Amino acid sequence: MADTTGNTVVGTTGGTGDPPSPGIAGTGRIRQPAALIRLLAGLAVIALALVCADYARATTSGLAEDVAAAAALVPHPLGGIATGLTTAALLLLPGVSAGCRLLRCANDRRHVLQQLADGVLAAALAYGASLAVDLWIDGSAPFSLVSALTQPLPGDPLARTEPVYGYLAPVLAFLTASAARERRVPRAVLTLSALAGLAAGAATPTALLLGVLIGWTAAHGTRWAVGTPDPRPRPAQLLHSLREAGLRPAAATPAGPDRYLVRQQDGRPELDVQLLDRQAVTAALVQRAWRRLRLRTAPHPRALRSLRTGLEHEALVSYAAVAAGVRTHRIAATAELGPDTALVAYERLPGHTLDELADEELTDALLADAWGQLALLQRRAIAHRALVPSALLVDAAGAVHLVGLADGDIAAGELVLRSDIAQLLTTLALRTGAERSVRAAVAVLGPDAVAAALPLLQPIALARETRHALKQAGRAAAPAPSEAPGAPAPAPPAPDLLEEIRAEVLRSRPQAPVRPVRLERLRPRTLVAVGGGVVAGWLLLPQFFATDRNPVAAVLDADPFWLVLALLAAAASHVMGAMGFVGFVPERLDFRNAVLAQVAGSFLKLVSPGGVGGVALNTRFLQRAGIPTAQALSSVGVGQLLGLVLHLLQVGAFVYLTGVETGDSERDALPFVVGGLAVAVALLAMVSAVPPARRWLVARLRPLTAEVLPRLVELLRNPGRLAVGFAGQLLVSLTLIGCLYCCIRAVGSEADFAMVGVVFLVGNAAGNAAPTPGGAGFVEAALIAGLELAPSMAHGAAVAAVTLFRLLTLLLPVLPGWAALSWLQRRGAL
């Protein structure tokens, strides 16, 4: 069961004097997200260490030899004595640590015993993991890994050291899982034990590293599996800390996740106490860290700050806002309650947040007051960063208070300040509409300040809660899809709320900049492309070294006759691609420019994944030729649709021809084609039988019926142009297949043309679905794997042939493609 802070409740063990209740600190054991993150990180580092030890043999062996040479300078008896003493100290360390803790914490012995039990369990798990690694290394691990983790024992060359050194892992696991506070002495003992093992030649550096990683990982795995006592304070501890801060609390009442309402004595104002829980903040660490890495305007992740730094930051921003005249929570006290918890006590503000108000309560005066409070922050360069509805508190008198300044900044940059304006514009527009939100902002801030925020008015710059609200508003405004085949076309969708806000701002400032500012430092597709490139290299590089024949030398020694034919076929594919492009456009186009556009597409392959760059370039080319955007998209869609159909037909034809050329009967190839069609029909029937899946399919096919099919009907009136399009689509595949076939012959091998056709059509389609630009890595791997299945291919020729083919079709056209793109842009054709 998960609690409201992101932790998972394992059990309930109510504290003395405090009855158990959900959400109250100290009522059970929780699975902390930080423990899971550390467990996964430990497993990943262990795997990485083993991989590096296996692949970086020279480095690990050299390091072990250097350490062994230094250890040889230590007299053997002295090294043996040091090893024995440190091993004894290491074994005594858990018992001494447990005894000291029990003596110091006599009043809370039950809690300490629970932690010690966790430590014993972690130690047993670490010892078992170490033993399993030892057995695996001694039994079935490759010799390179054995030599990296072990070394011959001094005085006995036939015996080797242990892959995981001694009792290092279980002792470290016990100390970590039992949450031992004393760290200096244990660290000294562990360090001396490791150094003694190195000096005596009883361990390698890699074995020591593996022991530390196994112990640390086992400890956090145990903490995640069995949970840990809830570190959040009990109400009695909370009241005690407030009294020490000079306040006079009387009672504390839970008011939400990590939040308490505290009543004070002598009629003093109530307090709104917010707990800063390290574990709750860590639960959102990955998301916040990714947003910080990705966006220029993202706040610094709170999980990367210490609790003291977080307290100081929140207090500083609050005091700065009060000094600026902003109505907000006033801090009454701050305090640290332990290593993982702190509190901030605010003077309570009675009222309702913006999302709790009725529509009739959102008056123009209230909107103006909200903008007035933001103007005070802007004047002092204070950024709020989270102007969501819960951050706007309206008191009984109708005055707006800006709360939730924990992620705010002092001396914020211009980009972050304008982002606050864009955020508040969107937050208010979601409740009152774009016109009222913009009108109130212009009246308070002025048209220039509001217009300057337009480049920041983009979903990625807004809070997550706001982005979710925008999606919900978009779904509510979208017309429901109709499944009836004869139903009339749906009404056009309502304008996007952000577009409405832009339109309202532009009415007052038509010359305002509207081009979005690039806020992303790192885009997800960039990470996907890099990751895909790494995987592709991992798959492709072994192909170059798995054969005795050097593929580079084979390419350099290629037959000139077949090489020239391959080059001509690669060049002809651009002309055929232009035919397949212009043939599906009813309007007249300049064929020379169309050919150059296909050549330019070769350059765009390297900067965009899959066929995205080619589709965008063709659409832009048609737009610059005077064709409206809707018709341009329809023409490109017709080409893509018919190209897919022809691709599938060619695959079936070449599969059939492969069976004929190899002497098999056509009945051997026909079942595969019929079976594939039967599977496709069965899947379509299953989708049509499920209403949600049917609605999804209808929504995806609506652009096809509304745009592509009418364009295709228009093309049927010009059969000559349509024939050119079909011929171009067929010939572009045939020329590329011919290029690959010529490359195979150029490197001195042979293959059936039909077999080459099947390999190219299947491999190229599978590889182009990869996220890397031009399918780099994946296309090569798919083509090599397919060609190596051909019985007539010479040993190692597949790698050389595919290397030559990709050189001619992917790398060689880059420079001409860039020149064609520049030429078309200078003449206004793109």
Side-chain angles (χ1 to χ4, degrees):
M1 181 179 67
D3 70 1
T4 52
T5 65
N7 298 318
T8 304
V9 178
V10 179
T12 56
T13 57
T16 304
D18 294 319
S21 61
I24 297 180
T27 58
R29 294 171 70 90
I30 58 174
R31 290 193 177 101
Q32 299 175 345
L36 178 60
I37 294 174
R38 290 167 182 162
L39 168 62
L40 298 177
L43 293 174
V45 176
I46 289 173
L48 182 62
L50 292 174
V51 170
C52 292
D54 190 22
Y55 280 87
R57 304 182 188 95
T59 302
T60 54
S61 300
L63 180 61
E65 291 173 0
D66 292 341
V67 172
L73 302 176
V74 180
H76 185 67
L78 182 60
I81 294 173
T83 302
L85 291 176
T86 54
T87 301
L90 191 67
L91 293 176
L92 290 174
L93 184 60
V96 173
S97 174
C100 292
R101 292 183 62 186
L102 288 173
L103 291 176
R104 285 199 306 264
C105 303
N107 296 330
D108 197 10
R109 187 164 294 178
R110 180 180 178 183
H111 177 71
V112 174
L113 288 174
Q114 287 179 345
Q115 291 182 324
L116 294 178
D118 294 344
V120 172
L121 179 59
L125 180 63
Y127 184 77
S130 301
L131 184 61
V133 172
D134 288 346
L135 294 176
W136 173 63
I137 294 295
D138 293 337
S140 58
F143 179 75
S144 58
L145 194 58
V146 175
S147 60
L149 295 177
T150 64
Q151 63 184 11
L153 282 171
D156 188 2
L158 298 179
R160 301 188 71 87
T161 59
E162 296 179 351
V164 182
Y165 177 59
Y167 301 101
L168 196 64
V171 172
L172 179 61
F174 174 84
L175 296 174
T176 305
S178 62
R181 299 299 182 193
E182 176 58 41
R183 297 181 180 179
R184 289 176 295 180
V185 173
R187 285 177 179 174
V189 172
L190 291 171
T191 303
L192 290 175
S193 177
L195 292 177
L198 290 176
T204 64
T206 312
L208 291 177
L209 175 63
L210 198 59
V212 171
L213 291 174
I214 289 176
W216 189 80
T217 304
H220 291 292
T222 302
R223 291 168 70 94
W224 167 251
V226 303
T228 56
D230 194 338
R232 293 170 294 180
R234 301 171 185 174
Q237 296 172 309
L238 183 70
L239 298 178
H240 177 72
S241 298
L242 292 176
R243 291 190 190 100
E244 288 187 340
L247 302 176
R248 304 190 65 183
T253 305
D258 287 338
R259 184 167 170 258
Y260 289 87
L261 291 181
V262 177
R263 178 174 55 83
Q264 295 199 83
Q265 301 173 2
D266 302 333
R268 295 189 180 189
E270 289 185 327
L271 300 176
D272 188 352
V273 178
Q274 183 71 43
L275 296 181
L276 302 181
D277 180 13
R278 166 67 64 188
Q279 307 305 329
V281 174
T282 305
L285 171 62
V286 176
Q287 177 186 348
R288 285 176 170 266
W290 163 243
R291 189 166 176 82
R292 174 69 176 177
L293 178 66
R294 181 184 179 190
L295 298 182
R296 296 159 57 193
T297 57
H300 188 75
R302 283 181 283 174
L304 301 182
R305 307 171 183 158
S306 65
L307 280 178
R308 178 175 292 276
T309 303
L311 280 176
E312 292 172 350
H313 177 82
E314 188 166 346
L316 183 60
V317 175
S318 179
Y319 288 140
V322 172
V326 178
R327 292 190 292 270
T328 185
H329 281 140
R330 291 179 179 269
I331 292 182
T334 61
E336 284 188 287
L337 303 177
D340 294 324
T341 313
L343 68 82
V344 181
Y346 295 96
E347 294 180 3
R348 184 170 180 267
L349 286 173
H352 300 279
T353 57
L354 185 69
D355 50 350
E356 296 173 344
L357 297 177
D359 291 341
E360 56 271 13
E361 295 179 275
L362 300 177
T363 63
D364 291 340
L366 187 145
L367 299 183
D369 191 20
W371 284 110
Q373 294 300 300
L374 180 61
L376 294 174
L377 287 179
Q378 298 267 317
R379 195 172 296 127
R380 296 292 184 92
I382 302 173
H384 190 288
R385 288 186 176 273
L387 287 168
V388 294
S390 59
L392 278 71
L393 184 69
V394 182
D395 61 19
V400 177
H401 301 254
L402 298 184
V403 298
L405 288 163
D407 285 327
D409 274 336
I410 297 175
E414 183 66 24
L415 203 63
V416 179
L417 295 176
R418 286 190 288 158
S419 181
D420 270 357
I421 298 176
Q423 174 65 57
L424 189 56
L425 275 172
T426 310
T427 297
L428 296 179
L430 283 167
R431 290 298 311 274
T432 65
E435 191 272 333
R436 289 184 63 193
S437 177
V438 172
R439 187 176 63 205
V442 170
V444 176
L445 301 180
D448 292 332
V450 178
L454 284 186
L456 277 299
L457 200 65
Q458 45 185 306
I460 197 171
L462 305 176
R464 183 181 183 183
E465 178 181 338
T466 305
R467 297 197 302 270
H468 179 72
L470 285 172
K471 290 181 180 179
Q472 293 295 109
R475 293 193 189 103
S482 175
E483 301 180 19
D496 180 70
L497 181 61
L498 298 183
E499 292 295 336
E500 293 182 11
I501 296 174
R502 290 190 189 95
E504 290 294 333
V505 175
L506 290 174
R507 286 194 179 95
S508 59
R509 277 291 181 272
Q511 71 278 13
V514 294
R515 184 176 182 180
V517 175
R518 181 172 179 179
L519 300 176
E520 292 177 290
R521 293 191 185 98
L522 190 65
R523 297 186 177 183
R525 68 182 182 186
T526 304
L527 285 181
V528 172
V530 172
V534 171
V535 173
W538 184 274
L539 296 174
L540 189 61
L541 286 179
Q543 300 286 347
F544 285 87
F545 303 102
T547 175
D548 297 333
R549 186 177 185 184
N550 189 342
V552 178
V555 170
L556 294 177
D557 296 336
D559 188 331
F561 174 76
W562 289 105
L563 183 60
V564 171
L565 288 182
L567 182 61
L568 293 176
S573 67
H574 299 293
V575 180
M576 300 302 106
M579 289 176 54
F581 171 54
V582 301
F584 297 120
V585 181
E587 294 81 5
R588 184 177 180 83
L589 297 174
D590 188 329
F591 186 74
R592 181 191 62 179
N593 287 348
V595 174
L596 291 176
Q598 304 311 303
V599 177
S602 301
F603 172 73
L604 293 182
K605 283 182 182 179
L606 294 183
V607 294
S608 60
V612 176
V615 172
L617 184 139
N618 289 337
T619 304
R620 179 63 177 169
F621 179 79
L622 294 180
Q623 289 175 330
R624 298 297 292 176
I627 299 175
T629 302
Q631 283 81 354
L633 291 171
S634 300
S635 295
V636 174
V638 168
Q640 294 287 317
L641 176 63
L642 296 182
L644 175 62
V645 174
L646 291 175
H647 185 92
L648 295 176
L649 292 177
Q650 289 180 87
V651 171
F654 278 112
V655 167
Y656 173 77
L657 291 176
T658 301
V660 172
E661 291 182 6
T662 56
D664 297 333
S665 67
E666 58 187 60
R667 288 174 296 180
D668 293 333
L670 188 60
F672 293 99
V673 180
V674 175
L677 293 176
V679 170
V681 172
L683 289 176
L684 183 61
M686 292 173 59
V687 170
S688 301
V690 181
R694 184 172 63 249
R695 287 192 293 269
W696 176 86
L697 182 63
V698 169
R700 294 301 182 273
L701 292 179
R702 179 170 292 109
L704 176 66
T705 58
E707 300 174 1
V708 175
L709 291 184
R711 193 70 163 169
L712 184 57
V713 171
E714 185 178 356
L715 283 170
L716 291 176
R717 300 171 185 170
N718 192 344
R721 182 173 290 273
L722 192 60
V724 171
F726 275 107
Q729 291 282 1
L730 286 171
L731 290 175
V732 69
S733 297
L734 290 176
T735 52
L736 290 174
I737 294 171
C739 178
L740 179 58
Y741 178 79
C742 294
C743 290
I744 295 172
R745 298 298 302 270
V747 298
S749 185
E750 293 185 2
D752 295 329
F753 188 84
M755 179 67 179
V756 175
V758 173
V759 170
F760 172 79
L761 292 173
V762 176
N764 192 60
N768 280 331
T772 55
F778 291 88
V779 171
E780 291 84 353
L783 294 180
I784 291 171
L787 290 178
E788 286 182 342
L789 297 177
S792 58
M793 287 291 295
H795 179 65
V799 178
V802 173
T803 302
L804 179 59
F805 172 73
R806 294 292 278 175
L807 178 66
L808 296 179
T809 58
L810 180 66
L811 299 181
L812 193 62
V814 170
L815 187 59
W818 173 79
L821 182 66
S822 302
W823 191 88
L824 292 172
Q825 287 177 333
R826 285 197 303 270
R827 281 156 179 75
L830 279 180

